[in-house]
Amino acid sequence: MAVIQHSPHEDLPPPVSQTGIIGWLRQNLFSNWLNSLLTLLAIFILWKTVVPLVEWAFIKADWVGTSRDDCDSGGACWVFVSVRFKQFMYGLYPEAEQWRINLMAIMFVLLMIPMFIKSFPWKKWLGMFILFGFPIVGFYLLSGGAFGLEHVETSLWGGLTLTLVLSAVGIVAALPLGILLALGRRSEMPIVRALSVAFIELWRGVPLITVLFMASVMLPLFLPEGTQFDKLLRALIGIVMFQSAYMAEVVRGGLQAIPKGQYEAAEALGLSYWKSMGLIILPQALKLVIPGIVNTFIALFKDTTLVLIIGLFDLLAMIQSATQDTKWLGFSIEGYVFAAVTFWIFCFGMSRYSQALERKLHTGH
Amino acid sequence: MTEDFAQTNEKLAVEIIGMHKWYGEFHVLKNINLEVRRGERIVVCGPSGSGKSTMIRCINRLEEHQRGKIIVDGIELTNDIKNIDQIRREVGMCFQHFNLFPHLTVLENCCLAPIWVRKMPRKEAEEVAMKYLERVKIPDQASKYPGQLSGGQQQRVAIARSLCMNPRIMLFDEPTSALDPEMIKEVLDVMVELAESGMTMLCVTHEMGFAKTVADSVIFMDGGEIIESNKPEEFFSNPQHERTQLFLSQILQH
Amino acid sequence: MPMDNQDDMPSRPPFWNDPDKRALIFQVLVLAAVFAFFAYIFSNTLHNLEKRGISTGFDFLNNEAGFGILMSLIPYDETYTFGRTFLVGLLNTILVSFLGIILATIIGFIIGIARLSNNWLVAKIAAVYIETFRNIPLLLQILFWYFAMLPLLPHPRQSVNFGDAFFLNSRGFYMPAPVFESPFLWVLAAMIIAIIAVVVLVRWAHKRQAQTGQQFHTIWVSLAILVVLPLIAYIATGMPLSWNLPELKGFNFRGGMTIIPELAALLLALSIYTAAFIAEIVRSGIQAVSHGQTEAAYSLGLRPGKTLQLVVIPQAMRVIIPQLTSQYLNLTKNSSLAAAVGYPDLVAVFAGTTLNQTGQAVEIIFMTMMVYLTISLLISLFMNWYNKKMALVER
């Protein structure tokens, strides 16, 4: 009963109906009658929606010009966007000083590039500087009043610049606060734990808009009479409080994922609470939850649009007010589409980055 | 249909004729020819990637073959759902990672298919289940959840679960590979008892002791083809092909 | 003889090195600092409020409101109190949240399952939907629907109409309003009886299957009962249901029910946005069930439909439901963006107009936040209960 192969069977190509274009079509689009029906339905829907959209947005659209008279083709009027572009980007920031914003953007990009180079040796220091040093530099660049730079009031900040300032400051300030809260929530001291839990659950349970209302209306009441309170600062405080609660939960997830053995090893080495947290636990925990932190940042980036409701002029607010301009009535769709595309590029890009990070870190840990 | 089977294919539980399978461009199974008679016990061995798991998964249509014929219990395996259903009722399978349903108790795991596929009343299904749980020697775990059992116990439950459908053929896909060493014996004992009761078995495994004890023939696969097939005594003492010799020298080392 | 000696106990260090004492002192200090902080804020606030002539306390709730509200589920006009405005806003929030949750769940589940389809085109379209609507801010989507899309609808005089009973135009979506006469109670009774009958039927079918193994078409028969029984009652009592149709009078419609554009825009945006997140939850929940489970079920002879019902979905739901309730909470909180388009929800009416009229920011914002906190708390409690109940039993 012995069966013996004397020479190995050669590799044959698979049957034609299984591979190549035909095979792919059969398997993925037309594998049974239900799928075939769905495929046809999907093609019909795409034909009815995507084709007119592409026609409106690209083929018939007007791209160049200076006034609404240049928009006569019936397609999208991108002239509206290009004419108001500076405002969308810089808000009401004086034109003469806009180079400062550009300088900041260039500096940021230059600083970030080494972070993506694998072999760069000083990533830690660079990262620390970007997180804590750069915002200070940025603040002075933007608001001026020192180093010979003209002072620009925060009420003039707006557009994409304001959106980025709100998001960046929000995250940078929320991170240390969130870490403290997460540690507090895991503390064994009942008062500290209770206060942390109360703080976190309070901010997580209410809508951001009530927080912004509270910040903008109630903060002036909390402080001694006569203290001037910058509107942007009020909004920032509200945003930071709000974000720190969500950040705390993200960090807490990371702390919980660190095996107990790490805590015990640190203790056994004689490290104090703060030393063991700072040197051993937190570095590991934070590395674990970087994707979570990026996701929180994406959520914050989208949430900054709410400042429109309390009268600050972020990107969305600038576009919204531009669509009410009598010179450009009727082009609100173009404005909103531009806003949507801008936000989408940022958010989608960041979420892809976060997913790539997650994959990379997963294999490491 | 069943009359045909009784007359012509009474002896052959599984018949594979000229079977080929591709994953995309990759030719994973090449010209497989195999006959398994009723009551025969066959062990399939070979290096990883040789296609042995893929081959037995084709038998109960967990994988599809693109060329050739597979006939199980006289029924040809095609895209016809009725045939597939019938074949799956007659063929039981045990997996390397047990695949017990974690949200159901052990008893419910075993009763699920008899109730919903064979349409048995619950009482009857539970009696059948207890009978097989006793046969695999864990009747006392009937109301526990899989998460509460050890690996060896879970695999025995998995075997009992398949047996509750009264299959005529049992397929095993590396049933002991995921077990800690001290639990391998309890599962192998159950499989030996099953073999001795006359079940037709097709078993992919590295446990050569099991092959020597119970198998009627051992098949060696490599690179998607069946290289050698022989009775265990001949296979182990006198491997003919050089690839079989190489493989045996590697695994029988320890 | 046994002595109660202190010498056997480890000696206590001086209190400044004793970790327990230090922890205690630290906590006392923290508590004192927190109290001091609040006291400081409190006194400042009282002082500032006095300076501005704003009263404190909740008496304002009994004062006449003096402003109209665009839409209310309960009777309201300017002569009602501020307290009433709180109720009107609250009910409007509940309305849009409730409808939004239902719509978002339906759309989300469809897209989530489509994302898993083995039809490449369908799966890709679902993926595009998810990635598009997740990455555009909700406020932008709301503004888009309200300011860009809805104005494209025609003027009331040229409404899109369906059978002279439904009218769609830039002022809203007009539908017939049901008018119930008293015999309708019998229809209601019939509905209740039908529900009871279905419950009894399900029980009986289960018992029968347990005893004889025969399966019953429970779903179809239940549906039939739920439809037919009330229908019979309806016809037998002389069809006690008439409709108040919307009619064009001058430039506007009168009569019938309306969905105002503000509600429509908010609802559309909320549902479409949240559905994208729900779709991801459904997709990842189903994918979380390992493939081996489906294979084991198939190899036992279970058909794909039954495998889904008995093996995959029970396991997927364990993962999906907690995340789903989280999204429902988010939707409820997000409904507060209504202020941007003028839908009179709790925040817009109470923390907006009423606050402007009375200046009593502290009390009003406190009440508003308490509402949302209560909702959050209830949902958290439910999730904890559900997780405990459904946790897979392990060693």
Side-chain angles (χ1 to χ4, degrees):
Chain A
M1 282 196 334
V3 166
I4 307 165
Q5 301 281 62
H6 283 288
S7 54
H9 197 288
E10 85 271 23
D11 276 345
L12 292 176
V16 176
S17 63
Q18 300 289 326
T19 52
I21 307 245
I22 303 188
W24 185 90
L25 278 174
R26 257 190 63 163
Q27 261 192 313
N28 292 311
L29 292 179
F30 297 104
S31 56
N32 56 43
W33 66 265
L34 177 65
N35 270 341
S36 308
L37 197 65
L38 285 174
T39 304
L40 292 174
L41 189 64
I43 294 181
F44 176 72
I45 292 178
L46 286 177
W47 178 256
K48 277 283 173 193
T49 53
V50 174
V51 172
L53 185 69
V54 169
E55 231 193 296
W56 173 85
F58 294 103
I59 303 181
K60 288 207 285 181
D62 301 296
W63 296 86
V64 213
T66 47
S67 75
R68 71 174 298 153
D69 305 315
D70 294 316
C71 281
D72 47 12
S73 65
C77 181
W78 298 122
V79 181
F80 169 55
V81 172
S82 62
V83 161
R84 309 276 281 197
F85 190 72
K86 278 235 172 72
Q87 272 180 341
F88 294 158
M89 292 293 118
Y90 303 111
L92 298 169
Y93 210 83
E95 269 216 54
E97 309 292 326
Q98 280 173 4
W99 60 270
R100 285 150 61 172
I101 299 183
N102 294 337
L103 179 60
M104 226 182 79
I106 295 176
M107 271 176 65
F108 182 71
V109 170
L110 285 177
L111 282 175
M112 282 299 279
I113 290 182
M115 294 297 277
F116 289 100
I117 300 179
K118 283 211 176 114
S119 52
F120 189 71
W122 301 298
K123 270 203 191 152
K124 262 228 193 82
W125 297 112
L126 188 59
M128 292 302 239
F129 177 73
I130 292 181
L131 267 184
F132 298 113
F134 182 71
I136 303 182
V137 172
F139 173 73
Y140 277 111
L141 255 186
L142 247 53
S143 89
F147 305 116
L149 294 171
E150 188 185 312
H151 178 68
V152 179
E153 286 209 352
T154 59
S155 55
L156 295 177
W157 300 9
L160 185 59
T161 312
L162 184 61
T163 300
L164 287 170
V165 165
L166 286 167
S167 320
V169 175
I171 276 292
V172 165
L175 188 53
L177 193 51
I179 293 177
L180 283 175
L181 284 167
L183 290 174
R185 187 163 184 163
R186 284 171 59 90
S187 162
E188 290 177 350
M189 296 188 269
I191 305 272
V192 173
R193 191 166 63 234
L195 284 174
S196 304
V197 170
F199 186 93
I200 293 174
E201 292 306 323
L202 171 68
W203 299 114
R204 275 181 12 126
V206 295
L208 178 55
I209 197 148
T210 55
V211 174
L212 289 175
F213 273 13
M214 194 178 113
S216 99
V217 170
M218 279 163 76
L219 270 182
L221 292 176
F222 288 163
L223 293 172
E225 206 189 325
T227 26
Q228 265 289 45
F229 219 150
D230 189 70
K231 204 168 186 188
L232 177 59
L233 191 54
R234 279 182 250 165
L236 271 174
I237 291 181
I239 288 179
V240 169
M241 295 282 124
F242 185 75
Q243 279 303 117
S244 63
Y246 287 90
M247 191 64 86
E249 287 298 278
V250 170
V251 173
R252 186 166 79 104
L255 289 172
Q256 272 177 329
I258 305 289
K260 199 148 172 267
Q262 293 289 311
Y263 292 91
E264 292 176 346
E267 242 182 299
L269 281 170
L271 293 171
S272 72
Y273 177 78
W274 290 107
K275 283 221 177 70
S276 60
M277 280 300 157
L279 292 171
I280 307 217
I281 305 294
L282 278 177
Q284 295 183 58
L286 289 177
K287 186 170 155 211
L288 266 181
V289 298
I290 287 182
I293 295 180
V294 176
N295 286 338
T296 310
F297 181 71
I298 296 174
L300 173 58
F301 192 76
K302 291 186 289 180
D303 282 343
T304 57
T305 50
L306 267 67
V307 299
L308 174 155
I309 301 187
I310 56 168
L312 284 171
F313 282 92
D314 76 314
L315 174 62
L316 183 58
M318 293 287 349
I319 292 181
Q320 167 82 329
S321 76
T323 63
Q324 322 275 36
D325 184 353
T326 43
K327 281 193 289 188
W328 292 99
L329 279 180
F331 295 122
S332 53
I333 298 188
E334 282 84 343
Y336 290 127
V337 168
F338 172 70
V341 168
T342 313
F343 276 105
W344 189 88
I345 292 178
F346 274 92
C347 293
F348 185 71
M350 287 192 284
S351 75
R352 271 285 180 253
Y353 174 64
S354 152
Q355 280 168 12
L357 265 179
E358 225 171 329
R359 270 193 300 268
K360 191 176 99 157
L361 292 174
H362 229 77
T363 53
H365 205 263
Chain B
M1 281 263 269
T2 25
E3 286 77 37
D4 283 353
F5 130 73
Q7 271 138 31
T8 53
N9 289 321
E10 209 176 45
K11 296 264 178 50
L12 283 179
V14 177
E15 199 181 346
I16 304 181
I17 306 169
M19 194 255 282
H20 294 255
K21 179 175 169 58
W22 286 264
Y23 277 139
E25 294 282 338
F26 177 50
H27 197 175
V28 59
L29 288 175
K30 303 173 189 166
N31 198 22
I32 304 289
N33 289 291
L34 183 63
E35 277 180 8
V36 181
R37 282 191 293 285
R38 246 177 222 310
E40 201 176 345
R41 286 96 58 171
I42 303 201
V43 164
V44 182
C45 63
S48 39
S50 55
K52 43 192 205 298
S53 284
T54 313
M55 180 183 77
I56 67 166
R57 285 154 65 91
C58 284
I59 296 179
N60 70 349
R61 203 62 170 184
L62 286 183
E63 304 275 359
E64 277 181 32
H65 61 282
Q66 279 90 30
R67 192 183 285 172
K69 275 192 187 177
I70 301 182
I71 304 173
V72 177
D73 242 19
I75 308 168
E76 189 183 341
L77 197 51
T78 60
N79 274 327
D80 186 346
I81 302 186
K82 276 194 73 189
N83 285 2
I84 298 178
D85 277 347
Q86 240 177 317
I87 289 178
R88 283 183 176 163
R89 265 178 253 149
E90 303 304 324
V91 175
M93 183 157 184
C94 280
F95 301 86
Q96 183 177 356
H97 296 288
F98 335 132
N99 289 335
L100 290 179
F101 305 133
H103 59 299
L104 302 174
T105 62
V106 160
L107 189 63
E108 287 165 349
N109 261 275
C110 294
C111 292
L112 186 74
I115 291 178
W116 291 96
V117 179
R118 291 216 191 274
K119 312 243 196 306
M120 263 191 218
R122 174 166 283 275
K123 266 255 149 53
E124 200 185 314
E126 286 180 358
E127 278 166 18
V128 170
M130 286 310 294
K131 184 177 84 183
Y132 284 113
L133 284 174
E134 272 163 28
R135 190 162 159 188
V136 302
K137 303 200 179 38
I138 40 173
D140 43 314
Q141 309 285 3
S143 53
K144 292 238 178 91
Y145 284 90
Q148 298 172 290
L149 302 179
S150 74
Q153 290 170 319
Q154 288 188 50
Q155 191 61 291
R156 287 187 279 151
V157 171
I159 297 177
R161 177 176 69 172
S162 302
L163 291 176
C164 285
M165 286 293 283
N166 281 319
R168 298 169 115 113
I169 304 166
M170 281 289 279
L171 304 173
F172 290 87
D173 187 359
E174 305 214 33
T176 56
S177 299
L179 294 176
D180 290 335
E182 64 269 17
M183 294 193 252
I184 295 184
K185 179 175 185 306
E186 64 194 60
V187 173
L188 286 181
D189 284 345
V190 166
M191 288 167 67
V192 166
E193 188 266 321
L194 197 59
E196 283 168 356
S197 69
M199 173 69 78
T200 316
M201 287 164 68
L202 210 63
C203 190
V204 173
T205 183
H206 295 299
E207 295 294 324
M208 293 305 143
F210 174 75
K212 287 184 193 161
T213 319
V214 133
D216 293 316
S217 80
V218 181
I219 295 180
F220 172 70
M221 278 182 74
D222 193 6
E225 326 169 59
I226 296 181
I227 305 287
E228 190 167 334
S229 154
N230 215 335
K231 290 202 277 253
E233 314 87 62
E234 288 293 317
F235 184 86
F236 288 110
S237 58
N238 204 5
Q240 303 274 325
H241 199 280
E242 60 174 30
R243 289 207 272 181
T244 323
Q245 292 160 1
L246 179 61
F247 176 71
L248 283 177
S249 73
Q250 285 170 332
I251 66 160
L252 291 178
Q253 206 67 280
H254 59 280
Chain C
M1 89 193 106
M3 281 214 279
D4 192 28
N5 26 16
Q6 296 284 59
D7 304 327
D8 282 353
M9 308 276 288
S11 57
R12 302 235 82 180
F15 78 89
W16 57 84
N17 273 337
D18 184 346
D20 289 338
K21 296 268 178 357
R22 283 171 74 153
L24 192 61
I25 295 178
F26 181 70
Q27 288 177 80
V28 167
L29 285 175
V30 164
L31 216 49
V34 169
F35 274 130
F37 179 69
F38 278 115
Y40 177 66
I41 289 187
F42 197 63
S43 80
N44 277 337
T45 312
L46 281 180
H47 178 78
N48 284 325
L49 286 177
E50 209 187 301
K51 258 292 166 99
R52 299 184 192 192
I54 301 174
S55 41
T56 52
F58 290 94
D59 298 329
F60 75 95
L61 288 172
N62 293 320
N63 296 344
E64 185 178 301
F67 62 90
I69 298 181
L70 187 57
M71 178 191 129
S72 172
L73 290 175
I74 50 179
Y76 177 83
D77 63 47
E78 310 81 54
T79 60
Y80 281 89
T81 61
F82 285 119
R84 187 81 167 180
T85 65
F86 176 79
L87 267 173
V88 171
L90 181 59
L91 283 172
N92 284 341
T93 293
I94 294 179
L95 174 70
V96 75
S97 305
F98 180 70
L99 291 175
I101 286 177
I102 294 180
L103 265 179
T105 308
I106 296 176
I107 301 177
F109 267 80
I110 293 178
I111 305 266
I113 294 177
R115 181 79 180 78
L116 289 171
S117 164
N118 52 14
N119 182 322
W120 181 89
L121 204 52
V122 170
K124 274 287 176 278
I125 292 182
V128 166
Y129 176 99
I130 295 175
E131 288 306 326
T132 307
F133 290 107
R134 269 204 315 179
N135 288 312
I136 299 178
L138 176 58
L139 184 57
L140 174 47
Q141 295 187 38
I142 296 176
L143 294 178
F144 177 76
W145 286 109
Y146 188 68
F147 287 110
M149 295 309 290
L150 256 40
L152 291 178
L153 289 174
H155 189 272
R157 289 203 151 184
Q158 290 105 28
S159 307
V160 178
N161 85 40
F162 307 95
D164 270 346
F166 295 86
F167 299 93
L168 184 61
N169 58 54
S170 59
R171 299 271 169 87
F173 182 55
Y174 296 85
M175 313 177 274
V179 177
F180 301 101
E181 288 146 38
S182 45
F184 198 78
L185 282 171
W186 290 107
V187 180
L188 238 57
M191 283 191 211
I192 296 181
I193 295 178
I195 294 180
I196 298 179
V198 165
V199 170
V200 168
L201 176 75
V202 168
R203 287 221 164 140
W204 168 84
H206 262 165
K207 242 181 121 186
R208 193 176 92 138
Q209 184 184 19
Q211 277 171 349
T212 66
Q214 288 177 295
Q215 291 163 31
F216 191 71
H217 297 290
T218 327
I219 298 202
W220 298 116
V221 177
S222 310
L223 269 173
I225 294 181
L226 284 172
V227 168
V228 168
L229 225 61
L231 197 61
I232 294 180
Y234 179 68
I235 297 178
T237 53
M239 305 214 259
L241 180 65
S242 57
W243 298 95
N244 186 343
L245 292 175
E247 275 169 20
L248 183 56
K249 294 212 164 62
F251 285 110
N252 273 317
F253 278 87
R254 303 249 176 266
M257 294 198 300
T258 332
I259 296 185
I260 52 176
E262 289 79 6
L263 176 56
L266 188 60
L267 199 53
L268 263 174
L270 274 174
S271 310
I272 293 180
Y273 180 75
T274 313
F277 290 90
I278 291 183
E280 265 301 279
I281 291 173
V282 168
R283 179 193 68 86
S284 67
I286 293 184
Q287 279 186 329
V289 181
S290 92
H291 199 227
Q293 293 287 299
T294 347
E295 289 190 342
Y298 286 174
S299 63
L300 283 169
L302 284 165
R303 287 265 189 104
K306 276 279 173 273
T307 305
L308 265 181
Q309 175 194 339
L310 298 170
V311 176
V312 177
I313 291 185
Q315 295 186 58
M317 274 307 170
R318 284 183 154 79
V319 175
I320 290 177
I321 295 214
Q323 294 180 293
L324 206 58
T325 43
S326 207
Q327 284 304 319
Y328 290 167
L329 182 59
N330 279 345
L331 191 147
T332 309
K333 288 193 287 179
N334 283 336
S335 70
S336 57
L337 291 178
V341 294
Y343 175 73
D345 82 315
L346 178 63
V347 170
V349 164
F350 198 60
T353 322
T354 302
L355 194 154
N356 279 334
Q357 303 278 36
T358 64
Q360 303 208 222
V362 180
E363 290 86 348
I364 289 179
I365 294 194
F366 171 74
M367 282 173 73
T368 312
M369 281 183 158
M370 283 313 288
V371 167
Y372 286 102
L373 267 177
T374 313
I375 299 178
S376 293
L377 206 67
L378 287 173
I379 298 207
S380 283
L381 284 173
F382 166 76
M383 278 215 308
N384 279 339
W385 169 82
Y386 180 82
N387 277 334
K388 273 217 182 68
K389 187 156 177 282
M390 292 309 232
L392 291 174
V393 185
E394 282 176 14
R395 303 227 216 194

